[in-house]
Amino acid sequence: MFTGIIQAIGKVTGIKDQGGDIRLGIDTGKLDLSDVALGDSIAVNGVCLTAVALPGNGFVADVSGETLSLTSLGNLKSGSQVNLEKALTLATRLGGHLVSGHVDGLGTVISRQEDARSVRFVIKAPAELAKYIVHKGSITVDGTSLTVNGVDGARFELNIVPHTFQETIMATYRAGSQVNLEVDLIARYLERLLLGDKASEPGAKGLTMEALARAGFV
């Protein structure tokens, strides 16, 4: 688990093709790895990866073909900047929101606009994720916990303050950039819970008016 508070910007130092998957090397920059051991989890652009080697200036992780197909990690090149966060502990301040590091889908940056000292982004999410994105709710973009400032269909708006802009890779975003999205974990579990006994039936997914009526909401 993570909090969505980015701790450092890292840099890709190497990508080794392993025949369908890759081995990824990351220079972690200012991220303190003194308490990280082999097998520990580190989020890279919001994707939970396992450290399989610790060469001293960073870590190495294996990225499966499944992860490459569902996230933006397949777009990385040597020198690419990445958001980094170590897994939380019971002593960690929960400054963002609970983040699993399991990407729900790829979003696309539609626009970027300066607004005084802030920067506004409009991002389009996959249609199937739109129902989980709400005004003033939380969403994770490339591992960064953010507040949704507006929603229009599958598009949502973010207002990024200077600190977040400087301490994450959001400064590299342009129209067309692909970003990893993770919706609010609670929304996911709530949807499944409201299915009730129907959740055990093959093909059961999503909420219907019938399910909401059974739960007493309509």
Side-chain angles (χ1 to χ4, degrees):
M1 297 295 292
F2 305 89
T3 69
I5 303 300
I6 301 306
Q7 297 170 323
I9 295 177
K11 183 172 68 175
V12 175
T13 57
I15 302 173
K16 184 177 181 182
D17 188 348
Q18 300 285 82
D21 56 33
I22 63 171
R23 178 156 283 197
L24 186 65
I26 303 287
D27 182 331
T28 53
K30 68 178 184 180
L31 187 67
D32 180 14
L33 297 181
S34 62
D35 58 348
V36 174
L38 292 179
D40 282 356
S41 296
I42 299 176
V44 177
N45 283 357
V47 183
C48 179
L49 297 180
T50 301
V52 298
L54 295 166
N57 63 334
F59 72 100
V60 176
D62 289 323
V63 184
S64 70
E66 171 83 357
T67 299
L68 291 173
S69 69
L70 297 175
T71 73
S72 66
L73 294 192
N75 299 332
L76 294 177
K77 298 177 175 60
S78 184
S80 293
Q81 291 184 312
V82 290
N83 289 329
L84 299 175
E85 182 190 354
K86 296 185 291 187
L88 65 82
T89 69
L90 293 179
T92 303
R93 291 181 183 273
L94 191 58
H97 70 285
L98 286 175
V99 175
S100 69
H102 302 155
V103 172
D104 291 307
L106 282 172
T108 302
V109 176
I110 301 301
S111 65
R112 165 180 169 165
Q113 180 181 353
E114 309 293 324
D115 183 5
R117 294 189 307 119
S118 296
V119 179
R120 289 186 178 272
F121 289 97
V122 174
I123 296 176
K124 184 176 181 180
E128 62 272 19
L129 296 184
K131 60 186 174 182
Y132 303 111
I133 303 171
V134 298
H135 183 228
K136 296 304 179 184
S138 295
I139 192 164
T140 307
V141 178
D142 277 341
T144 308
S145 172
L146 298 167
T147 300
V148 176
N149 288 100
V151 180
D152 181 10
R155 298 187 179 198
F156 62 95
E157 184 177 317
L158 303 169
N159 181 67
I160 308 303
V161 298
H163 177 81
T164 302
F165 194 73
Q166 295 163 9
E167 297 298 322
T168 71
I169 64 169
M170 298 196 81
T172 68
Y173 292 173
R174 299 293 184 271
S177 296
Q178 285 192 312
V179 293
N180 293 321
L181 301 178
E182 182 183 331
V183 297
D184 191 350
L185 194 64
I186 296 175
R188 281 286 198 185
Y189 280 111
L190 181 60
E191 178 186 44
R192 189 70 173 168
L193 180 64
L194 288 176
L195 287 174
D197 294 339
K198 294 288 185 180
S200 63
E201 297 178 4
K205 60 181 180 180
L207 283 179
T208 63
M209 292 301 292
E210 180 186 0
L212 289 170
R214 287 199 310 271
F217 286 95
V218 293

